[in-house]
Amino acid sequence: MKHFYHQSKIKFQCQPDCANCCKLSNGFVFLTDAEASDIAENLGISENEFLQYFTRIVNEQLCLVDGENEHCVFLEDHKCNIYEVRPLQCRTYPFWPENLKSKSRWELTKEECPGIGKGRIYSAKEIDKILEKEF
């Protein structure tokens, strides 16, 4: 099945000091056990401490707790405190399946993500590869 992005030029580049994706409310940031371990190590705390203070279980999946104003718990001064070890879900935004299911949905995502339409062009093959990853 061909998706709209197979016929469109999709440009994207994260914008400095944006962090809009970290402020999306009513969402969940899911992570794997390996990602939890990497984040704990990056924070200099034990995995048990990390799990106790920074995670919860939603639909039998590990996810980050919400921070202030329902923003990401690791967002501080418009910057990600765990950027180098952020979960796959964070690394693949805005190329999430729900954002790419139609051109109109992509346009809605563009309203919240100023990096869409800027930067380099992503090929359909690159986007398909991102979508193959599970988070």
Side-chain angles (χ1 to χ4, degrees):
M1 180 174 138
K2 292 282 184 189
H3 297 280
F4 84 92
Y5 60 84
H6 286 182
Q7 288 102 25
S8 301
K9 290 186 177 178
I10 301 293
K11 294 173 82 175
F12 173 72
Q13 180 177 347
C14 273
Q15 299 299 294
D17 298 321
C18 171
N20 287 359
C21 55
C22 304
K23 297 176 186 174
L24 298 174
S25 59
N26 299 320
F28 304 103
V29 177
F30 295 104
L31 60 158
T32 64
D33 291 337
E35 289 170 331
S37 178
D38 290 344
I39 295 168
E41 183 177 331
N42 180 268
L43 295 172
I45 61 175
S46 72
E47 284 185 53
N48 285 339
E49 285 177 291
F50 174 75
L51 294 172
Q52 180 179 355
Y53 295 108
F54 295 104
T55 68
R56 60 189 167 147
I57 302 295
V58 174
N59 297 327
E60 299 181 25
Q61 290 184 288
L62 189 63
C63 94
L64 294 176
V65 297
D66 290 333
E68 191 175 316
N69 299 319
E70 295 185 347
H71 297 169
C72 178
V73 68
F74 293 110
L75 181 65
E76 187 176 308
D77 297 325
H78 299 287
K79 297 207 185 307
C80 175
N81 286 338
I82 60 165
Y83 188 83
E84 297 302 319
V85 292
R86 68 197 185 283
L88 176 65
Q89 182 176 341
C90 301
R91 291 191 313 266
T92 59
Y93 185 84
F95 299 107
W96 294 351
E98 63 268 25
N99 294 340
L100 290 164
K101 64 181 166 182
S102 69
K103 184 160 181 68
S104 61
R105 181 63 184 110
W106 186 250
E107 291 300 319
L108 285 174
T109 305
K110 187 176 182 178
E111 290 177 18
E112 63 194 23
C113 179
I116 293 175
K118 297 182 176 131
R120 73 176 183 88
I121 295 173
Y122 280 74
S123 70
K125 186 176 180 178
E126 286 177 292
I127 295 170
D128 286 338
K129 190 169 184 161
I130 292 168
L131 292 172
E132 288 174 8
K133 297 176 181 176
E134 292 184 37
F135 53 85

